[in-house]
Amino acid sequence: MPETLDPITRHHIDQAASRLADEFSGIFSQETIARYMAESTDLLGEAKINVFVPVLAHRFTRERLKALAQAEGMVDKDQPEVLFVCVHNAGRSQMAAGLLKLRSKGRINVRSAGSSPEGEINPNAVLALEEVGVDMAEAFPKPLTDEVVRAADAVITMGCGDACPIYPGKRYEDWDLEDPAGKDLATVREIRDQISERVRGLLAEVAPDESDSAAS
């Protein structure tokens, strides 16, 4: 756990670990949860504003534990899992994840990560998504970890090279898209629309809406 964390922040992180121990009781030991919390806090330790670290570490650890439980067969998967990966998890992968969450209406569990995550999401990406009804209030850049790849049924990469580990039996795609970093809002909107079209195609293949098929 980062040495720069003050005692109050450490106390909040310990409390978050305790809540996770209650939630995952019977699935993971307290030692495992404490280890994942410490590791997640380390991975997020370079966040620009430390006051947010306990909240983000709790959410990041919770998502990692859920993915680990799925990957290890400790819990059932009741819907497809899609993971979007780019370099910074601040633009393309966040837009793709937000659009797929919106369009799938709960039929797909969506995660995103970055091989070298930024401290915050691209503000123009947030604006471009809000324009089409995607709420990014709780989203934040997350490091790519092994268990989220293992839990995924489909892994969509965007410009992150070979940073994502390859596991058999999964669907892998690489989407060649312009990086929105440093681009103006008009350009980011164009990238958003390109991602939106790809997301529509992915959704139709991974989790088609049976009610739409019945109506057509």
Side-chain angles (χ1 to χ4, degrees):
M1 197 171 291
E3 295 298 327
T4 55
L5 294 182
D6 60 85
I8 294 176
T9 301
R10 288 175 179 271
H11 173 68
H12 287 307
I13 287 174
D14 290 341
Q15 287 185 320
S18 179
R19 293 196 300 272
L20 289 173
D22 290 339
E23 179 177 354
F24 289 93
S25 177
I27 301 175
F28 295 117
S29 67
Q30 291 187 353
E31 291 77 13
T32 296
I33 292 169
R35 176 167 56 85
Y36 267 75
M37 177 62 80
E39 181 180 288
S40 296
T41 304
D42 284 337
L43 290 170
L44 294 174
E46 296 181 359
K48 294 181 179 179
I49 306 175
N50 263 4
V51 70
F52 292 136
V53 167
V55 175
L56 300 186
H58 175 266
R59 286 162 53 191
F60 183 38
T61 304
R62 184 174 186 269
E63 196 61 37
R64 292 182 65 199
L65 291 171
K66 288 171 62 178
L68 180 63
Q70 291 171 336
E72 296 289 340
M74 296 175 175
V75 297
D76 293 331
K77 291 171 63 174
D78 55 3
Q79 55 189 189
E81 301 274 339
V82 174
L83 172 66
F84 293 102
V85 184
C86 67
V87 177
H88 301 305
N89 193 216
R92 290 166 291 185
S93 57
Q94 290 282 358
M95 288 196 285
L99 288 165
L100 185 57
K101 286 178 184 177
L102 179 71
R103 300 261 169 75
S104 68
K105 300 177 182 178
R107 304 199 305 278
I108 298 177
N109 190 50
V110 186
R111 296 184 173 103
S112 70
S115 55
S116 181
E118 288 282 351
E120 61 183 6
I121 299 175
N122 183 328
N124 281 339
V126 173
L127 289 173
L129 287 173
E130 287 177 346
E131 290 175 350
V132 294
V134 178
D135 182 5
M136 298 294 290
E138 295 191 355
F140 64 99
K142 298 170 290 297
L144 178 65
T145 55
D146 183 73
E147 65 280 339
V148 297
V149 181
R150 291 172 56 203
D153 298 299
V155 180
I156 312 299
T157 58
M158 307 173 194
C160 54
D162 59 358
C164 189
I166 303 297
Y167 290 100
K170 300 185 183 302
R171 170 181 179 153
Y172 288 89
E173 290 184 26
D174 185 69
W175 291 358
D176 185 10
L177 296 159
E178 185 178 3
D179 189 346
K183 303 300 192 302
D184 59 27
L185 181 56
T187 302
V188 175
R189 285 175 178 143
E190 293 176 1
I191 298 170
R192 175 203 64 197
D193 293 344
Q194 293 170 14
I195 293 174
S196 180
E197 286 304 308
R198 292 175 182 258
V199 162
R200 288 183 189 277
L202 179 66
L203 176 59
E205 295 177 11
V206 174
D209 190 335
E210 295 180 0
S211 64
D212 289 347
S213 300
S216 59

